Amino acid sequence: MIIFVLLNLSVFFCVGVIINAFFKDYGILNKVLIGFCLGIAQIIFTEQILGVFSLLTLSNLIVINLLICIFLLVFSRIRKFKKTIGRYVAIPEFNIFENRIILFAFAILSGFILVKLFLNLINPPLGWDSLNYHFTFPVEWLKNGNLINTITVSCNPAPPYYPINGSLFYFWLMAPFKSVFLADLGQFPFFLISFIAIYSIAVSIGIRKELSVFAALLTVVTPNFLKQIEIAYVDIMVAALFWVALMFLINLYKKYSFKHVVIFALASGLLIGVKTLAITYSIVLIIPFLFIVFKNTASTGVKRSLLYLLVFSLFVIVFGGYGYIRNIFLTGNPLYPLKMTMLGKVIFDGVLGKNVFQVSFTPYDYSLSKVLFHEGFGLQSILLFFPAVLSWLIIFKYKVKNIIIYLLFLPAMLLAVYYFLIPFPCTRFLYPFLGVAAIAAFYVLNKISLNLKIVSSIFIICFLSSIFELSGHMELIVSLLLGILLFVISVRFRDRIVLIRINKKGILIAALVVIVSLKFIEGDYKKHEYERYVKKYPSWHYDGVIGWKWLNDNTEGDNIAYVGKPEPFPLYGRGFKNNVYYVSVNDVEPKLHNYKNSFYTWGADFLTLHRSLEEDGNYRGNADYSIWLNNLLREKTDLLFVYSLSQVEDIEFPMEDKWAQEHAESFELVYGNSSVHIYKILK
């Protein structure tokens, strides 16, 4: 915990110095957004640098961040930073106590968030992507000191070639603890920033403060969105960084300057470095950026425009380009493993066609009715967000600025991106649309001067309809009771609370309370991690979870080969004590790009995927028992963990299970149930 605190203090110090040196006169909310991007950028940059040179260890991470602190300490005016620290942490001007409806909404929302945070802190992670690669890759980086990703087995083979900013942030939260105790909540800071970014955008374009709060609250309380803070995915990260970049784009439009180009480029780079699909959303940011640059060329000169474009490109490459550059070096294709064609010609060669992501979906999955009524998007999506696609019609009645016209068209553009550019209709990819649509909707309500009581009624109806979808049963009751208690306390002690002032002593006391509490919860988490896997996971996954627990209880630094269902993360055991890897069934190192003539296809039935993987030339093709056994022995493998295949109708085990059963002289079954077989390698 001390190391974690030290690392984050070093980042906070560096951010504070830069803010004070270059953004001292900015408003508090802009400072928070800029500071957040600077902090994430420092985390990403330092880990990338160390990883590229195979030096990515916790000790080196501490050293490089402390060196940055020393550098800034020497080359900045520290005394000024000390003088302005009080203003840097000042409370924003808006006072939630002025509006009982907003105070009630904040209290109820806080109740749900606090309960979810607590449950996540004491329970192990749940989530396909988390257990498959978001957590697995950082563990491998921590063990090997580099940024080399392992293959994802018996599943979509693309994740090792995805951008890695999300996993780099998870690494930051995992390395000091050797657990995902805090990393499982890695999206929560981005959730908070989402609210600030949406509110900031709304206020900056002239929406009254109450309506700006409504827009931000209805976005973050959208059930599908809020519930993802429980899972270590990256979709909230993408949405938050999109909205932050949009805020910086508005700043650039209002004041064309080098600083605004830099912070917009920084946010844009962080955005596309989280998820490949973020490139599609970045299009609607980059085009207006180019328009702003070229529009100002006449007044600032061609050289300055070229400089700004160069700076933008540089920051995007440094903070978002690693994954794409890595793919170019490995395969020549920045979007590998996708095969990219245009007008029938291959632009970038790959091993996956775009259609493989679409075969599991039906026309219903693309329908608006599914999004509105079956995906947890709340009543606000029906009444406000999706109708906001037509918000641009207001420009025929009211005269508005160019940036407003752009924002009013943006919901329609983002919806078009979702339906026409993204290869498959996963509704969490709509998150960036939600915040923009909320802003557009409330801009219209603000512009037509709809009575505040009517707007407040719409808000409270949408808000209340959403909170009952946020949790189930006991969690819902506890969250509601806690939220109501917070509201009563806020109303009862309003006069005392508003007199509270943030100062260094108060921050220190609050920080110590949080740190000590987290330390106790961390100890409880590590002690009961695998027992709670058994209690938390649903019945359909129970056999696999029991296998994880058995493995953790019966290993200590073992080498474990695995195959089957692609959830290797729990096999590392408590404190990441084990080594976990897939062993090739042929004589090629198991990296997708090593199979030069491979190509993978599948249909709605995932059994077709497993059969495709085993075709000659593909990474599970040309299988040979003798070669596989030699590969196991060469890796000094102790145990073989065999899952049944994932997403197939009947229980079916991969070929390695049959081989192990047929060769009792080399394999001894030490644990088994209907979905998991664990073999000891007899050397």
Side-chain angles (χ1 to χ4, degrees):
M1 183 62 72
I2 294 175
I3 293 175
F4 179 73
V5 172
L6 179 63
L7 275 171
N8 285 278
L9 282 177
S10 67
V11 172
F12 180 81
F13 173 82
C14 294
V15 168
V17 171
I18 296 172
I19 290 285
N20 184 68
F22 300 104
F23 304 98
K24 184 170 58 175
D25 297 328
Y26 283 54
I28 181 63
L29 295 181
N30 264 309
K31 283 183 179 179
V32 171
L33 296 177
I34 294 169
F36 181 80
C37 281
L38 289 172
I40 298 297
Q42 181 172 331
I43 291 169
I44 300 302
F45 180 74
T46 54
E47 290 178 353
Q48 279 184 181
I49 289 293
L50 293 173
V52 166
F53 292 99
S54 298
L55 296 172
L56 185 54
T57 64
L58 181 58
S59 57
N60 287 342
L61 195 58
I62 295 170
V63 169
I64 193 171
N65 280 282
L66 289 179
L67 287 175
I68 294 173
C69 285
I70 293 171
F71 174 83
L72 291 174
L73 184 66
V74 172
F75 292 97
S76 65
R77 296 174 294 179
I78 301 303
R79 297 180 70 178
K80 278 196 175 183
F81 171 63
K82 289 181 178 178
K83 288 179 181 178
T84 58
I85 190 169
R87 285 190 289 148
Y88 179 61
V89 297
I91 301 175
E93 291 180 10
F94 183 75
N95 185 353
I96 65 172
F97 294 98
E98 294 175 355
N99 187 309
R100 286 287 179 91
I101 292 176
I102 291 176
L103 179 60
F104 173 78
F106 267 109
I108 297 297
L109 180 60
S110 298
F112 278 88
I113 290 174
L114 288 172
V115 172
K116 288 185 180 296
L117 293 182
F118 176 75
L119 291 175
N120 260 47
L121 286 172
I122 64 173
N123 286 309
L126 169 65
W128 181 272
D129 293 2
S130 313
L131 302 183
N132 188 352
Y133 58 94
H134 283 319
F135 288 157
T136 302
F137 293 166
V139 175
E140 288 298 312
W141 302 340
L142 187 61
K143 286 178 173 287
N144 300 306
N146 55 40
L147 295 176
I148 296 176
N149 294 332
T150 55
I151 193 169
T152 50
V153 182
S154 304
C155 187
N156 171 17
Y161 304 91
Y162 287 167
I164 62 171
N165 280 2
S167 290
L168 285 171
F169 186 67
Y170 288 130
F171 179 93
W172 181 267
L173 300 175
M174 292 165 62
F177 303 103
K178 287 195 173 181
S179 78
V180 293
F181 162 66
L182 279 184
D184 201 25
L185 287 170
Q187 290 204 101
F188 182 63
F190 294 86
F191 176 84
L192 296 178
I193 286 298
S194 296
F195 178 89
I196 296 173
I198 294 168
Y199 173 79
S200 300
I201 294 169
V203 171
S204 71
I205 62 172
I207 301 177
R208 60 186 297 179
K209 290 184 179 180
E210 291 87 351
L211 271 61
S212 298
V213 175
F214 289 167
L217 280 173
L218 286 184
T219 301
V220 300
V221 82
T222 301
N224 192 300
F225 183 82
L226 189 146
K227 288 194 285 188
Q228 207 188 92
I229 66 172
E230 302 174 277
I231 307 174
Y233 282 14
V234 296
D235 303 288
I236 292 178
M237 295 184 186
V238 169
L241 290 169
F242 178 88
W243 295 325
V244 170
L246 180 59
M247 180 68 240
F248 294 159
L249 182 67
I250 294 171
N251 286 345
L252 180 65
Y253 174 83
K254 290 181 175 180
K255 185 176 181 181
Y256 187 64
S257 69
F258 181 80
K259 286 193 293 187
H260 287 158
V261 170
V262 168
I263 58 175
F264 172 70
L266 183 63
S268 300
L270 293 174
L271 170 65
I272 69 167
V274 172
K275 199 179 187 83
T276 307
L277 292 179
I279 294 177
T280 60
Y281 285 123
S282 69
I283 293 172
V284 300
L285 297 173
I286 294 174
I287 290 176
F289 165 74
L290 295 175
F291 172 79
I292 292 170
V293 172
F294 291 128
K295 177 186 174 185
N296 285 276
T297 299
S299 58
T300 60
V302 174
K303 288 185 178 179
R304 177 167 293 188
S305 295
L306 292 175
L307 172 64
Y308 286 0
L309 292 174
L310 178 62
V311 168
F312 174 80
S313 302
L314 179 63
F315 272 76
V316 168
I317 290 170
V318 169
F319 295 102
Y322 173 84
Y324 308 99
I325 295 171
R326 172 205 59 203
N327 292 349
I328 291 173
F329 274 101
L330 291 176
T331 71
N333 177 359
L335 299 178
Y336 188 87
L338 281 179
K339 184 176 183 178
M340 306 298 294
T341 60
M342 182 178 293
L343 301 177
K345 294 185 178 181
V346 176
I347 307 300
F348 294 114
D349 199 14
V351 298
L352 295 177
K354 179 183 176 182
N355 64 304
V356 299
F357 296 108
Q358 299 171 329
V359 292
S360 299
F361 298 94
T362 65
Y364 172 70
D365 294 307
Y366 290 87
S367 67
L368 192 59
S369 62
K370 179 176 184 289
V371 174
L372 290 176
F373 301 110
H374 301 285
E375 291 294 331
F377 272 33
L379 185 60
Q380 56 267 46
S381 292
I382 300 172
L383 298 181
L384 297 169
F385 295 170
F386 279 87
V389 171
L390 300 176
S391 60
W392 53 270
L393 291 173
I394 200 175
I395 66 177
F396 294 109
K397 184 174 182 180
Y398 298 93
K399 186 176 181 180
V400 296
K401 297 179 180 178
N402 288 340
I403 192 66
I404 304 297
I405 296 175
Y406 161 70
L407 288 171
L408 293 176
F409 273 101
L410 197 51
M413 289 190 283
L414 291 176
L415 208 56
V417 167
Y418 175 75
Y419 279 110
F420 299 111
L421 294 184
I422 292 178
F424 56 101
C426 187
T427 47
R428 53 194 166 97
F429 300 159
L430 272 172
Y431 289 172
F433 163 82
L434 298 180
V436 172
I439 293 165
F442 279 95
Y443 179 84
V444 172
L445 296 178
N446 184 78
K447 195 70 176 176
I448 65 176
S449 301
L450 188 64
N451 186 280
L452 182 59
K453 290 183 179 180
I454 297 176
V455 178
S456 298
S457 299
I458 295 172
F459 165 77
I460 201 65
I461 291 170
C462 293
F463 182 86
L464 290 175
S465 70
S466 292
I467 63 171
F468 289 100
E469 296 184 53
L470 296 178
S471 307
H473 306 300
M474 187 56 67
E475 183 185 338
L476 175 64
I477 295 171
V478 173
S479 301
L480 280 172
L481 290 175
L482 179 57
I484 293 170
L485 177 62
L486 291 172
F487 176 67
V488 171
I489 291 173
S490 300
V491 173
R492 176 68 178 82
F493 299 100
R494 174 188 180 280
D495 293 337
R496 295 185 183 181
I497 294 173
V498 296
L499 293 175
I500 295 175
R501 291 291 180 266
I502 295 178
N503 54 47
K504 285 186 254 186
K505 184 178 179 180
I507 292 174
L508 182 60
I509 293 173
L512 287 174
V513 170
V514 171
I515 290 169
V516 171
S517 300
L518 288 176
K519 183 63 180 175
F520 278 108
I521 298 174
E522 180 200 3
D524 177 78
Y525 175 89
K526 287 186 174 180
K527 184 178 179 180
H528 300 289
E529 180 178 5
Y530 280 81
E531 289 83 354
R532 287 174 183 156
Y533 263 125
V534 176
K535 294 179 181 178
K536 183 179 180 181
Y537 269 73
S539 57
W540 59 266
H541 212 80
Y542 188 76
D543 288 342
V545 173
I546 293 295
W548 301 344
K549 185 177 183 303
W550 185 94
L551 196 69
N552 178 70
D553 294 344
N554 292 274
T555 55
E556 196 61 50
D558 290 53
N559 293 330
I560 300 168
Y562 84 97
V563 68
K565 189 172 294 182
E567 296 175 332
F569 173 74
L571 310 187
Y572 288 104
R574 186 174 290 116
F576 310 149
K577 58 185 177 180
N578 298 321
N579 298 310
V580 181
Y581 45 84
Y582 166 74
V583 172
S584 178
V585 295
N586 49 56
D587 57 1
V588 181
E589 182 186 2
K591 303 285 186 185
L592 200 66
H593 57 272
N594 288 340
Y595 296 83
K596 303 299 183 183
N597 298 315
S598 64
F599 200 81
Y600 305 88
T601 59
W602 59 83
D605 178 5
F606 255 63
L607 190 59
T608 58
L609 164 64
H610 300 300
R611 297 293 177 259
S612 177
L613 300 179
E614 296 173 358
E615 292 176 2
D616 288 349
N618 291 348
Y619 78 84
R620 287 183 56 75
N622 307 104
D624 185 284
Y625 168 75
S626 298
I627 294 174
W628 174 68
L629 180 61
N630 287 333
N631 291 340
L632 284 170
L633 296 176
R634 186 175 61 252
E635 297 290 340
K636 299 180 180 179
T637 307
D638 299 302
L639 294 170
L640 171 66
F641 190 105
V642 185
Y643 287 106
S644 59
L645 296 176
S646 64
Q647 295 178 277
V648 296
E649 186 174 346
D650 299 315
I651 293 178
E652 181 177 333
F653 282 86
M655 67 181 79
E656 289 90 335
D657 188 68
K658 181 180 179 181
W659 285 345
Q661 290 181 9
E662 292 175 346
H663 295 85
E665 75 280 3
S666 299
F667 299 90
E668 176 189 351
L669 182 67
V670 292
Y671 176 83
N673 60 43
S674 63
S675 299
V676 169
H677 294 163
I678 303 176
Y679 297 91
K680 181 180 179 181
I681 313 296
L682 304 177
K683 303 173 183 178

